[in-house]
Amino acid sequence: MDLYELFRAGLNSAVGPTAIVYALAAIGLNIHFGYTGLLNFGQVGFMLVGAYGLGISVSIYGAPFWLGIVIGLLAALVLALLLGLPTLRLRADYLAICTIAAAEILRFVFRSRPATNFTGGPFGIPSQVGGSGFSGTWNALNPFPSGTYRFGPLAFTHTRLWVVIVGWALVLLMVLTTWALMRSPWGRVIRSIREDEDAARALGKNVFVYKMQSLVLGGMVGGLAGILLALNQASMAPDQFLPQITFFGYTVLILGGAATIWGPVLGSVLFWFLLASIERGLLDSGVMQSGAVGPVRLALVGGALVLLMVFRPQGILGDKREMMLDA
Amino acid sequence: MREPSPGAAALKDVAPVPGVPKPDPILVVDGVVRHFGGLTAVDVEHLELQRGVITSLIGPNGAGKTTFFNLMTGFDIADEGAGTFDGQELRKVPAHKVAGYGMVRTFQLTKALTRLTVLENMKLGAHGQRGERILSALWPPAWRSQEQAIEERAEELLVRFKLDHMRDELGGTLSGGQRKLLEMARALMVEPMMVMLDEPMAGVNPALTQSLLEHVKDLPHHGMSVLFVEHDMDVVMDISDWVVVMGQGRIIAEGPPAAVAKDPAVIDAYLGADHGDESRFTPTPWPPESRAPEARP
């Protein structure tokens, strides 16, 4: 077993599109859960409506690409409003139940037979639908000539490189936005709501509006993650948006450290590095057949997470001081 | 006895009768009723609270004091009736707006925001912050100068409440008594006209109680009115300009401390056989030397 190969596989995965998509999803969850204390268990639903907002408007209705992006983000906004209006005045658990159910309902509706004309049903929207499809303009915008690009141990095709560069730029932008917001008085109100919303209310803060703003903001970052996911694959299908994506998002967030600026990014990079290098290690060592590798790598990463929770419950970047207070 | 609040003189000629009108009321309550199932938790026909004085709200456990607090501050909605605060209608007004009107409450169970620093706790209290709007938040020049002014005010209050050495500690590291101080100081950051304190002395050691009391007594001198719930009769008698007594959801008596302590209705409420163990209350009339035999039923 070549250790360098493990490292290379891990690194390629850690900077790749999947890690970016999860970093974005986790940044959204960080705004929800880490800073505001909102339990959104349906982040994947925001990703789904983001992706399909782009796919349906561009591939089915022939809208321009940029309008499709806007529609994808607006779809996430509308979903946040729909979920937030009835639940944000209630206790935190109601939002959790509603979001997880809504995400599954969306997936089943989008893959249902009656919706086939709009969503492509279970097969989703491949890139060929509607001429060059929703990713046509995206690929045309790619400034890199076709070929393979190598940077040390990293290797990308030109399409992948384009996704990776735009993706990391978006991640940086979102990290910057989170940072700017959370250091501001707005962020102070948001964090006070996480601590005790009655206290915030007693001090004259309209808690409902702040929670809604947080839900919309984090949901739209989730929508962006979905859009990037679709663009990376040049296709979308309902069954890519399974509930476990949300839980991987939480894993990533807690691994890196909730309520920290870089936590979701570090968490995602590390999570996908571990997953890919363990997979490569298991495959290369020949201890098991390739079919068994998928579940086993998850089990190993799960074990690592359990150890992390025992020895560093605040995550890698979290503040131990804060953890001690949760009595 | 203590020096009375600046506004207390106006209460001299007010008769100690439940629902009596006051010369300059800040909070007026009319026909407020709140049921929980078959239980009538609060049923206040009429109550006026004088501006610029300390009014104590006392009564046995379950008398409806905290429910009354919640109704007044928008944390609960009355089934019937409403109040006005400084001329503003309180019917179905949400809690954050009530705070905006200038009526700020604290809680019986202290709500120090544990993972915010003491200074952040304080700064949160300031009202009308430009940086609390999401779009301006992204543009610091829009709120930096205001933030600086708020910070200065917070520092001054922290010095007054002797918490300035803790300014950068997380709220959760404070002791129970310090949290009470922080909560009161934070409420003052709102620059309220009226402060509603729900058992500010509960679970605080005697030394700190004294310091907390001094702060409460100080509030009318800063132009604030105070309504506070307290069980310790010694404290109540020492601090109040006016005392309101609740029993089973109703106002059963009100008046100056000395008059209330002698009121047979009050003594009944505290000693009444159907209240079970109310040993936290000291039903002794005030002052103690006037312990009259007719006080015993």
Side-chain angles (χ1 to χ4, degrees), chain B residues 277-290:
Chain B
D277 177 25
E278 296 292 350
S279 51
R280 275 186 69 197
F281 308 106
T282 29
T284 47
W286 187 270
E289 52 271 24
S290 73

Side-chain angles (χ1 to χ4, degrees), chain B residues 106-107 180 184 197-202 204 212 216 228-230:
Chain B
T106 65
F107 294 87
K180 291 271 182 196
M184 200 187 294
L197 303 169
D198 197 353
E199 294 201 41
M201 322 293 170
V204 177
L212 264 164
V216 176
F228 90 133
V229 172
E230 183 50 58

Side-chain angles (χ1 to χ4, degrees), chain A residues 157-298:
Chain A
T157 63
H158 66 288
T159 48
R160 200 172 153 91
L161 184 63
W162 179 225
V163 172
V164 164
I165 283 175
V166 173
W168 281 115
L170 285 173
V171 168
L172 271 181
L173 185 69
M174 291 304 128
V175 165
L176 209 67
T177 310
T178 320
W179 170 78
L181 280 173
M182 291 311 161
R183 70 171 182 150
S184 77
W186 184 85
R188 192 160 61 215
V189 178
I190 286 291
R191 285 180 295 136
S192 79
I193 290 170
R194 172 191 70 194
E195 298 303 314
D196 192 317
E197 58 177 78
D198 277 344
R201 216 170 265 140
L203 294 170
K205 315 300 173 195
N206 190 345
V207 169
F208 177 74
V209 167
Y210 282 100
K211 288 207 283 194
M212 187 59 96
Q213 286 174 343
S214 164
L215 188 65
V216 166
L217 185 69
M220 286 174 79
V221 181
L224 196 61
I227 289 173
L228 209 70
L229 178 75
L231 287 175
N232 176 51
Q233 301 164 331
S235 74
M236 61 187 75
D239 290 344
Q240 290 174 319
F241 299 95
L242 292 167
Q244 66 229 42
I245 295 197
T246 304
F247 295 106
F248 282 161
Y250 269 101
T251 307
V252 156
L253 175 61
I254 289 163
L255 174 69
T260 62
I261 295 293
W262 289 101
V265 182
L266 179 71
S268 183
V269 165
L270 212 64
F271 183 76
W272 289 103
F273 181 89
L274 283 175
L275 219 54
S277 49
I278 288 173
E279 180 172 14
R280 173 52 58 93
L282 289 174
L283 281 174
D284 287 2
S285 61
V287 288
M288 57 185 70
Q289 291 167 329
S290 56
V293 166
V296 168
R297 67 177 185 157
L298 279 178

